[in-house]
């Protein structure tokens, strides 16, 4: 009970650890960090992580990308008590398996140290840091190498999960070769944070210069939608009912498309009898960050998650407990968790607080039908429970 008192927990907050930045500095192709001379004659470092990133990437100068002191200042400024920090994309995706394995292990140890040696702020405020570890999840990796790293992560007390992209192993995240990996993650009670990086085919964005808007606003969430849908379709959530997966950006379009998905499954002779439950049931097995920037969107996600139990096959008692309308919306809130996406989306001009953070907090406060209990759960209580932070 004390654990869920009014703490603000950020489950979607990134870092490029110094070792990762050094590695990116040594590269000549994307992703990389490079130096260039500004028109004013100064040398600046820039981070380039996406293939078609506008303006030659973004400045590393603010140190928000890697400096723990900056993370703590950001937390302090926005009243965040606990952050569950993850390496930002593209993780180790671009590396040969052997290099990815070594770097995963080193970066996991670095992240444990980053979290465990975090100082109190000068005013004595205790800010706690935990982390999502990295897996060497590259196409040619062996499942044995992944199991080794899962073992390492479960022995590091501040690492509570793993962050993964959508590429997976072999033929993708739904490759059967990942079965022992899902089993090991489930057994170790680690939370999987599924996060996008690739978006969708760039050709979809046309020729107009729209900055970074289309890949970020649409490409990222569609990528997550496709990845989690493939996992559902492959039966991973049936075979691993205790696997806990947190979806970035409120699950992308999955909540909006879940009834259409269910209908397509029901009408498809290949898939109709494959899954144990209606597709909508699986939304209630997932977790959704609350990085959606609007109350109506959070309310809608909450409704689709809260109705999930209705769609358990042959489960009369579960169906009865789902309830209707407002009850569903309250139920759904139990699987939603505040996040900031720091250090991405900094304010474009001078600002005391980041608009991206303020909007997400206001969105939580404004969801119709969520009372203080639901708001506090989404702000921090759910995270404390999901990551077992009350026990520390
Ligand atoms: O602004 C961006 O590119 C990103 C990114 O790459 N990853 C992320 O999590 N948010 C924003």
């Amino acid at each position: 009970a004390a654990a869920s008192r009014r703490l603000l927990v950020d489950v979607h907050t990134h870092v490029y650890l110094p070792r990762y930045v050094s590695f990116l500095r040594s590269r000549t192709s994307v992703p990389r960090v490079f130096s260039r001379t500004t028109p004013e004659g100064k040398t600046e470092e820039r981070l380039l992580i996406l293939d078609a990133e506008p303006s030659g990437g973004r400045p590393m100068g603010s140190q928000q990308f890697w400096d723990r002191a900056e993370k703590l200042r950001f937390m302090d400024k926005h009243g965040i008590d606990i952050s569950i920090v993850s390496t930002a994309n593209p993780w180790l995706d671009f590396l040969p398996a052997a290099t990815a394995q070594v770097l995963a292990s080193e970066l996991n140890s670095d992240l444990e140290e980053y979290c465990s040696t975090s100082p109190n702020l000068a005013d004595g405020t205790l800010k706690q840091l935990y982390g999502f570890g990295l897996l060497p999840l590259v196409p040619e990796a062996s499942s044995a190498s992944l199991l080794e790293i899962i073992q390492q992560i479960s022995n590091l007390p501040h690492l509570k999960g793993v962050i993964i992209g959508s590429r997976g192993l072999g033929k993708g995240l739904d490759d059967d070769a990942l079965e022992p990996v899902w089993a090991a993650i489930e057994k170790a009670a680690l939370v999987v944070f599924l996060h996008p990086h690739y978006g969708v085919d760039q050709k979809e964005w046309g020729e107009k210069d729209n900055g970074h808007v289309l890949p970020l606003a649409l490409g990222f969430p569609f990528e997550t939608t496709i990845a989690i849908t493939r996992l559902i379709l492959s039966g991973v959530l049936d075979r691993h009912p205790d696997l806990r997966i947190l979806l970035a950006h409120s699950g992308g379009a999955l909540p909006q498309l879940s009834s259409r998905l269910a209908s397509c499954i029901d009408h498809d002779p290949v898939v109709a009898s494959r899954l144990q439950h209606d597709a909508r049931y699986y939304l209630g097995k997932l977790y959704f960050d609350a990085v959606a920037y609007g109350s109506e969107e959070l309310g809608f996600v909450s409704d689709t998650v809260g109705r999930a139990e209705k769609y358990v096959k042959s489960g009369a008692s579960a169906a009865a407990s789902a309830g209707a309308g407002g009850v569903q919306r309250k139920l759904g809130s139990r699987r939603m968790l505040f996040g900031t996406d720091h250090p991405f989306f900094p304010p474009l001009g001078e600002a005391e607080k980041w608009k991206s953070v303020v909007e997400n907090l206001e969105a939580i406060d404004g969801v119709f039908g969520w009372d203080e209990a639901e708001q506090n759960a989404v702000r921090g209580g759910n995270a404390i429970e999901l990551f077992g932070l009350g026990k520390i």
Side-chain angles (χ1 to χ4, degrees):
S4 37
R5 97 201 115 83
R6 323 273 170 273
L7 290 181
L8 187 58
V9 184
D10 183 358
V11 304
H12 189 157
T13 180
H14 299 298
V15 67
Y16 291 108
L17 289 165
R19 185 190 300 273
Y20 189 83
V21 175
S22 300
F23 189 77
L24 293 187
R25 279 194 190 107
S26 71
R27 288 175 52 82
T28 52
S29 56
V30 178
R32 69 188 188 112
V33 170
F34 65 99
S35 296
R36 75 175 185 192
T37 309
T38 65
E40 298 78 39
K42 291 195 180 134
T43 304
E44 66 162 6
E45 274 205 313
R46 296 189 72 87
L47 169 71
L48 192 54
I49 47 172
L50 306 175
D51 275 327
E53 201 154 349
S55 350
R58 48 199 116 189
M60 286 288 277
S62 78
Q63 304 179 352
Q64 293 281 349
F65 283 105
W66 53 270
D67 188 355
R68 185 178 63 188
E70 286 293 339
K71 179 75 75 191
L72 293 171
R73 263 193 288 279
F74 169 84
M75 289 170 68
D76 197 34
K77 184 182 279 190
H78 298 95
I80 297 166
D81 301 289
I82 302 176
S83 289
I84 323 276
V85 181
S86 47
T87 291
N89 49 297
W91 316 287
L92 305 170
D93 283 24
F94 52 95
L95 294 172
T99 317
Q101 174 89 4
V102 173
L103 209 48
S105 166
E106 291 173 346
L107 288 166
N108 289 334
S109 300
D110 290 353
L111 186 57
E112 173 64 26
E113 193 184 334
Y114 174 104
C115 298
S116 61
T117 61
S118 170
N120 291 356
L121 291 187
D123 68 356
T125 318
L126 181 64
K127 299 283 173 199
Q128 294 180 54
L129 299 176
Y130 296 94
F132 289 100
L134 278 174
L135 295 180
L137 195 55
V138 297
E140 329 76 58
S142 65
S143 47
S145 67
L146 293 165
L147 296 180
E148 203 178 290
I149 297 292
I150 292 166
Q151 184 62 50
Q152 179 209 15
I153 293 172
S154 36
N155 288 334
L156 295 173
H158 289 79
L159 301 199
K160 301 293 176 189
V162 292
I163 183 163
I164 64 169
S166 63
R167 286 273 160 104
L169 189 68
K171 299 190 184 73
L173 266 193
D174 52 5
D175 195 309
D176 294 341
L178 277 169
E179 271 307 293
V181 175
W182 300 129
I185 292 175
E186 184 182 34
K187 187 160 175 228
L190 294 170
V191 176
V192 177
F193 184 16
L194 178 56
H195 191 289
H197 171 68
Y198 302 95
V200 300
D201 193 334
Q202 235 172 265
K203 289 203 289 288
E204 301 300 331
W205 308 135
E207 309 239 315
K208 287 242 183 316
D209 182 2
N210 290 315
H212 209 174
V213 167
L214 291 169
L216 274 188
L218 306 182
F220 264 34
F222 287 170
E223 178 190 350
T224 307
T225 308
I226 295 167
I228 187 61
T229 303
R230 282 176 56 176
L231 273 190
I232 292 171
L233 285 174
S234 71
V236 164
L237 301 185
D238 282 335
R239 290 190 295 280
H240 304 286
D242 295 327
L243 188 60
R244 298 174 308 159
I245 301 180
L246 169 67
L247 300 178
H249 314 121
S250 297
L254 182 70
Q256 174 65 40
L257 296 176
S258 55
S259 290
R260 181 170 175 80
L261 174 63
S263 175
C264 291
I265 292 173
D266 283 348
H267 293 91
D268 190 302
V270 176
V271 193
S273 55
R274 186 190 295 166
L275 299 180
Q276 284 175 14
H277 303 286
D278 181 286
R280 288 165 281 198
Y281 167 80
Y282 299 100
L283 271 72
K285 303 295 288 176
L286 298 166
Y287 294 85
F288 298 76
D289 75 21
V291 183
Y293 309 96
S295 301
E296 289 76 9
E297 287 81 357
L298 293 184
F300 179 77
V301 174
S302 192
D303 289 345
T304 58
V305 174
R307 73 178 177 180
E309 283 293 327
K310 278 187 185 171
Y311 293 100
V312 67
K313 273 194 192 148
S314 65
S317 59
S321 72
V327 179
Q328 282 178 26
R329 179 162 289 198
K330 284 181 187 291
L331 266 180
S333 70
R334 300 317 309 254
R335 287 186 170 257
M336 299 175 67
L337 305 94
F338 169 72
T340 62
D341 219 343
H342 179 258
F344 298 105
F345 306 108
L348 291 182
E350 288 297 310
E352 170 54 13
K353 291 194 176 180
W354 291 30
K355 183 174 186 215
S356 50
V357 179
V358 172
E359 270 179 349
N360 275 321
L361 285 170
E362 286 176 354
I364 294 169
D365 288 345
V367 176
F368 182 77
W370 280 2
D371 297 328
E372 215 183 322
E374 287 78 38
Q375 290 166 2
N376 283 331
V378 178
R379 287 166 58 90
N382 294 341
I384 286 166
E385 208 171 297
L386 178 64
F387 296 99
L389 304 183
K391 295 178 207 123
I392 288 165

